[in-house]
Amino acid sequence: MDRRTLLAAAGAGLAGLSGCGSVGSSDGPTPESTGSPPTTTPTGTTTTTTPAPTTTPPERRYQPQMLDVALVSRWATPGDLDANRVDVLRRGRPAVVAFRYRLRVPSGTIYLKEGVDIVGNDDLIVRHNRERDRTVDSAGVYTWEDAVSLRTDAWPLGDLTASVAIGELQLHRTSDPRSVSFELTTD
């Protein structure tokens, strides 16, 4: 049989099979049905797969940062955290816990929760939470200083620790806590 007759017979046989088999079409070559698994011919290039770099999720990338915490004698304006720092407090006087934090904020209003825990001898004495709104005109990194005042009448005497963290409520981002130790003395 000559070459032309062979090609024509093969084309007629394949035309009769069109529409049979799997649905759809393929852009690549289809392996022949010879009973053996399809083979590929090496082309001389090596394909390597490089894993995608691990990225920090957005909710952790812009995590709020607690910069400083202190027990202060009084707090009225930013800067009092450094100016009025104390490490001994008399029972009955208010414990003013001041803190400074930094946060990446989109423009508009951001909703925060400030949390202060007072701990003595590994026991929680007081947990105080306060929600706060901050409004900014443009996106950026902002630093704020704030304070909470807590009654000490029923607190035990001795060494205590104030631990503070800040949380951003929309994206559920929370800072790592920061602590300060102080002594509560008798009246």
Side-chain angles (χ1 to χ4, degrees):
M1 183 183 280
D2 70 357
R3 186 168 195 235
R4 285 184 191 197
T5 307
L6 178 64
L7 289 175
L14 290 175
L17 295 176
S18 65
C20 297
S22 63
V23 178
S25 65
S26 170
D27 292 336
T30 305
E32 295 179 23
S33 178
T34 60
S36 61
T39 59
T40 57
T41 307
T43 60
T45 60
T46 304
T47 304
T48 58
T49 304
T50 305
T54 303
T55 58
T56 304
E59 66 273 6
R60 300 303 289 171
R61 186 179 316 145
Y62 302 117
Q63 180 178 0
Q65 296 176 328
M66 188 59 60
L67 301 174
D68 199 5
V69 174
L71 186 70
V72 295
S73 57
R74 64 183 173 82
W75 189 90
T77 61
D80 286 350
L81 184 145
D82 295 318
N84 300 323
R85 193 179 294 256
V86 297
D87 57 359
V88 177
L89 180 66
R90 283 190 3 225
R91 182 193 277 163
R93 305 233 21 207
V96 181
V97 180
F99 46 93
R100 184 178 306 122
Y101 57 93
R102 178 175 38 217
L103 179 67
R104 182 176 298 276
V105 181
S107 62
T109 301
I110 190 162
Y111 306 100
L112 305 172
K113 185 173 232 178
E114 302 167 343
V116 178
D117 285 351
I118 305 296
V119 177
N121 295 325
D122 294 326
D123 292 327
L124 179 65
I125 298 168
V126 173
R127 173 166 282 157
H128 176 79
N129 292 307
R130 174 174 70 182
E131 291 187 10
R132 185 161 198 84
D133 300 344
R134 300 278 188 182
T135 303
V136 296
D137 294 328
S138 62
V141 177
Y142 291 88
T143 300
W144 286 290
E145 186 176 312
D146 210 340
V148 297
S149 180
L150 305 168
R151 295 184 58 134
T152 63
D153 300 327
W155 292 8
L157 298 175
D159 293 328
L160 303 176
T161 300
S163 181
V164 182
I166 188 83
E168 190 273 313
L169 299 175
Q170 289 104 321
L171 296 175
H172 308 288
R173 301 178 296 173
T174 304
S175 72
D176 291 329
R178 190 148 185 168
S179 301
V180 63
S181 295
F182 61 97
E183 182 182 1
L184 188 67
T185 62
T186 60
D187 303 326

